[in-house]
Amino acid sequence: YQRRVHGDVSCVFSFSIMPPKFDPNEVKVITLRTTGGEIGAASSLAPKVGPLGLSPKKVGEDIQKATMDWKGLKITVKLVVQNRQAKVEVVPSAASLVIKELAEPERDKKKVKNIKHNGNLTMDQIFKIARRMRERSMAKAFIGTVKEILGTAVSVGCTVDGQSPKDIQDKIDSNEIQVPDS
């Protein structure tokens, strides 16, 4: 507010600050967690994509199309918005990669609760997942990424080559199992 006095008349002016002009070249990134292959509630998408001029319903359908391979799994999705166009990128977590590699049948998340993932993975599958997760891993070397994926296999509850993933980690530490460089 700004107050000006003209003679004996006092006036108050209010200045509203306009938002900055819409820049068509600006790229915004929105990260969301969703269930693969399902249309998320438009009400949960609206506060995130509405201010960018996008339709929450259309974005929900785009997310559903992009996550059909991950049906029934919780997955992280990255929306890259530029010039009111949203591109959907799936960013799978280590756990969702391990569960997908187990190739379990699809389940209805409303009916089946507390799922036990008691399948078996091979070391080649663990290496494949570790190669995919390498760029987001905090480990210095590939062997560390492999151990991270084995730790995820422990928390998911599956076995690796018929053994506990903890035993596989111990064998890697004692050089009984060789891990490739990448």
Side-chain angles (χ1 to χ4, degrees):
Y1 290 103
Q2 189 173 9
R3 189 175 194 88
R4 288 193 182 161
V5 180
H6 298 282
D8 60 339
V9 179
S10 173
C11 301
V12 175
F13 298 98
S14 70
F15 297 101
S16 64
I17 299 171
M18 292 291 291
K21 286 270 190 227
F22 176 72
D23 180 13
N25 297 324
E26 185 181 14
V27 176
K28 293 231 185 229
V29 178
I30 302 169
T31 308
L32 333 148
R33 198 115 162 103
T34 184
T35 304
E38 292 181 11
I39 298 178
S43 60
S44 64
L45 285 172
K48 296 174 182 82
V49 299
L52 302 174
L54 297 170
S55 159
K57 187 175 180 219
K58 184 181 176 304
V59 171
E61 289 167 358
D62 291 346
I63 291 172
Q64 180 197 17
K65 285 179 198 154
T67 60
M68 285 308 277
D69 294 347
W70 303 89
K71 205 162 184 150
L73 295 175
K74 282 293 249 181
I75 192 97
T76 306
V77 174
K78 192 162 83 172
L79 288 175
V80 181
V81 181
Q82 183 176 16
N83 200 9
R84 293 197 179 152
Q85 296 294 315
K87 288 190 207 97
V88 180
E89 293 176 22
V90 177
V91 185
S93 64
S96 53
L97 285 169
V98 167
I99 293 168
K100 186 177 180 186
E101 204 63 42
L102 285 170
E104 295 177 338
E106 292 174 14
R107 296 184 177 98
D108 185 0
K109 73 173 190 171
K110 292 183 179 99
K111 293 178 184 166
V112 184
K113 302 283 185 196
N114 301 326
I115 302 164
K116 292 268 188 263
H117 303 284
N118 53 4
N120 186 37
L121 294 174
T122 64
M123 276 307 288
D124 289 333
Q125 288 173 309
I126 294 290
F127 294 149
K128 180 177 142 191
I129 295 168
R131 283 186 192 98
R132 188 145 179 213
M133 290 295 295
R134 182 67 190 123
E135 64 199 32
R136 290 188 289 147
S137 170
M138 293 293 176
K140 286 182 182 176
F142 183 68
I143 191 168
T145 308
V146 170
K147 286 184 182 180
E148 285 178 3
I149 302 304
L150 287 167
T152 304
V154 170
S155 66
V156 165
C158 64
T159 57
V160 178
D161 288 337
Q163 304 172 52
S164 162
K166 288 182 181 180
D167 295 340
I168 301 286
Q169 283 180 338
D170 292 339
K171 288 182 179 180
I172 289 173
D173 288 338
S174 63
N175 285 335
E176 289 178 48
I177 295 178
Q178 294 297 315
V179 176
D181 291 335
S182 64

